[in-house]
Amino acid sequence: MRQWQFGQSNGSENLELTDVTAPQPGPGQVLVRIRAASLNYRDTLLVKVADGYTPGRVPLSDGAGDVIGVGAGVSRWSIGDRVAGTFFQDWISGRFEMRYHQAALGGTVDGALREEAVFPEHSLVRVPSHYSHEEAATMPCAGVTAWYSLILRCGFQPGDSVLLIGTGGVSVWGLQIAAASGGRPIVVSSSQEKLLKARQLGAAETISSAATPDWDREVFRLTSRRGVDHVLEVGGPGTLKRSLSSVAAGGKIAQIGVLTGFGPSDASLFPLLTKNATMSGIYVGHRDAFEQLVRFVEQTQLRPVIDRVFLFEEAPAAFQYLASGRHFGKVVIRV
Ligand SMILES: NC(=O)c1ccc[n+]([C@@H]2O[C@H](COP(=O)([O-])OP(=O)(O)OC[C@H]3O[C@@H](n4cnc5c(N)ncnc54)[C@H](OP(=O)(O)O)[C@@H]3O)[C@@H](O)[C@H]2O)c1
C-alpha cells in the first residue's frame, strides 16, 4: 500500500510517496482503509520546521475511512463501519494529561496520509451518517477544536457573540457551530471575497482587517461597546492584544493558534483582569467532544466547508495550497 512520508530533509517538496507492506491489526486494533484526509495549519509547520522534524513520519492528523479488519478482542467496531481517528489517540474524556502528546496522529505517531492504517479501537469515532469521507475528514482537528473551545471550554450559550479570526479550518467550523447554535458570529478576514462567503454561512458581522487594521475598535462598535462573549484566538502573539481588547467583561478567550508565530506577545494582560475575563489554553479536544460534535451535525444537518479536494498523488501541492492561505475552510486529500 502507498503512503506519503516526510523525506530526509524538511519541506513539502521533499515529501516522499512510498510503497510499504500493508499493516495488520493486532489485539485491540482496527485496520482502516483511509478514503480522505485533511490538512491543518499544523501540518504546514511540521513539514517545514527543522526542529522536531521526523524523517519517515506519515503526516496529517485527520483521516476518515472504512473499517476493513479487526484484531482479536475488538468490540467497538465491525467491518464496514465508517470511522475517523482522534487527534490524541488516548484522550477519551476529562482533563488533559501530558502523556497524551505521545500519541498525536501525524506528529508523534504516523498519521492519515496513507491508504491503510491500524488504530487502537478506542481512538476511533463513528462519522456522521450524512457525511462523505471528505467531509468527515475535516472534523478531527479543526471541527473538534472549534467545538471543544466554544461549547466545552468557553461555555457558549445561544445569543452569545463569537469573534472568529480569519477564515481557515478552525474559524469556519467555529462560525458554522456558532451560527447553528443561535450565536452571533463576527468574522475578521484579510479578504473581502472570503467575508462575503462568511456572510452566506451566517456571519452576523464581518470586518476587513485590510481596510480596518484596528479591527478591535470595530468589534467594540458592532457590539454596542460591550465586546464579544467569546474569541476563538487562532492568531497568537500578533493578535492577542486586539482579542483582549475585543472581549467583553466576563467573556472568554480560547487561545488556540499561532498564525503570527510562537514568540512573546506585546499585549498587556491588564484588560484580562479589569474585565474579569477568562483565557483558556486549547489543544484540540477529547473523543467525547468529537462524538458530541457528530451528534450535533447530525441533528442540525450542518455540512463542513471544503475549499478544494486534491488527489492522493497531489499531496505536496495540497500542502503548498494550504500554506498560501488562499483557502476558505478546509483543504482535503482524497486517498
Ligand atoms: N491548539 C489547537 O488545538 C489547534 C487546533 C487547530 C489549529 N490550531 C492553530 O490555529 C491556527 C489556525 O489553524 P487552521 O488549521 O484553521 O489554519 P488555516 O486553515 O491555515 O487558516 C489560516 C487562516 O487564518 C488567517 N490568517 C493567516 N495569517 C494570519 C495572521 N497573521 N493574522 C490573522 N489571521 C491570519 C487567514 O484567513 P483570511 O485569509 O480570511 O484572513 C488564513 O487563511 C493555527 O495557528 C493552528 O496551528 C490550533
Side-chain angles (χ1 to χ4, degrees):
M1 64 121 200
R2 296 178 305 162
Q3 66 180 30
W4 282 97
Q5 58 187 46
F6 289 164
Q8 281 310 307
S9 51
N10 56 321
S12 56
E13 65 285 1
N14 294 325
L15 282 169
E16 293 171 350
L17 182 58
T18 56
D19 236 315
V20 299
T21 312
Q24 292 301 315
Q29 291 182 330
V30 175
L31 178 62
V32 177
R33 171 66 174 92
I34 294 174
R35 299 286 179 191
S38 88
L39 283 89
N40 294 285
Y41 185 78
R42 163 190 188 247
D43 304 307
T44 67
L45 291 177
L46 288 179
V47 76
K48 80 174 177 212
V49 291
D51 202 21
Y53 181 82
T54 312
R57 172 71 71 239
V58 176
L60 306 194
S61 53
D62 294 11
D66 304 312
V67 172
I68 56 168
V70 291
V74 167
S75 58
R76 281 171 57 88
W77 306 108
S78 308
I79 288 172
D81 287 343
R82 298 168 72 245
V83 294
T86 49
F87 184 102
F88 289 115
Q89 294 195 309
D90 299 328
W91 191 14
I92 308 298
S93 62
R95 267 176 74 156
F96 190 71
E97 294 180 27
M98 289 310 278
R99 66 183 172 91
Y100 298 148
H101 284 295
Q102 290 161 20
L105 276 179
T108 46
V109 297
D110 282 341
L113 199 47
R114 47 183 164 160
E115 290 174 329
E116 293 177 23
V118 291
F119 296 89
E121 70 161 329
H122 64 257
S123 74
L124 294 171
V125 167
R126 179 186 67 79
V127 300
S129 48
H130 64 302
Y131 274 16
S132 64
H133 286 115
E134 282 86 3
E135 289 174 312
T138 69
M139 300 183 79
C141 181
V144 172
T145 299
W147 179 266
Y148 177 69
S149 300
L150 198 55
I151 307 297
L152 299 181
R153 294 290 293 276
C154 291
F156 168 91
Q157 295 291 318
D160 285 356
S161 50
V162 182
L163 178 63
L164 292 316
I165 299 171
T167 55
V170 174
S171 297
V172 171
W173 260 107
L175 157 61
Q176 291 184 284
I177 291 168
S181 309
R184 183 172 179 233
I186 301 177
V187 178
V188 181
S189 167
S190 59
S191 154
Q192 287 288 4
E193 196 188 330
K194 292 180 180 182
L195 288 174
L196 278 177
K197 291 185 186 171
R199 285 264 180 194
Q200 286 158 9
L201 285 177
E205 308 285 356
T206 53
I207 305 170
S208 160
S209 56
T212 315
D214 48 356
W215 43 261
D216 46 326
R217 285 171 176 265
E218 185 62 4
V219 171
F220 210 49
R221 191 186 69 79
L222 291 168
T223 54
S224 307
R225 305 178 63 77
R226 180 174 175 269
V228 283
D229 297 300
H230 310 283
V231 182
L232 295 196
E233 218 314 330
V234 294
T239 51
L240 181 60
K241 197 170 172 178
R242 295 195 191 285
S243 293
L244 282 164
S245 134
S246 299
V247 76
K252 310 275 172 61
I253 297 176
Q255 192 57 53
I256 298 169
V258 288
L259 288 167
T260 58
F262 291 85
S265 170
D266 63 353
S268 160
L269 292 179
F270 197 53
L272 198 66
L273 282 62
T274 56
K275 293 178 176 183
N276 265 289
T278 307
M279 204 168 146
S280 302
I282 303 289
Y283 211 146
V284 191
H286 42 52
R287 193 186 78 191
D288 273 3
F290 195 161
E291 289 172 339
Q292 254 188 2
L293 176 60
V294 170
R295 292 194 293 274
F296 177 79
V297 299
E298 284 182 339
Q299 180 61 30
T300 56
Q301 293 292 297
L302 185 158
R303 309 206 77 126
V305 177
I306 296 176
D307 177 282
R308 194 163 157 188
V309 180
F310 286 81
L311 299 178
F312 187 65
E313 295 74 18
E314 300 170 330
F319 274 77
Q320 285 148 25
Y321 182 66
L322 192 87
S324 77
R326 297 206 304 276
H327 61 289
F328 177 93
K330 293 292 295 176
V331 175
V332 171
I333 295 175
R334 190 172 296 138
V335 182

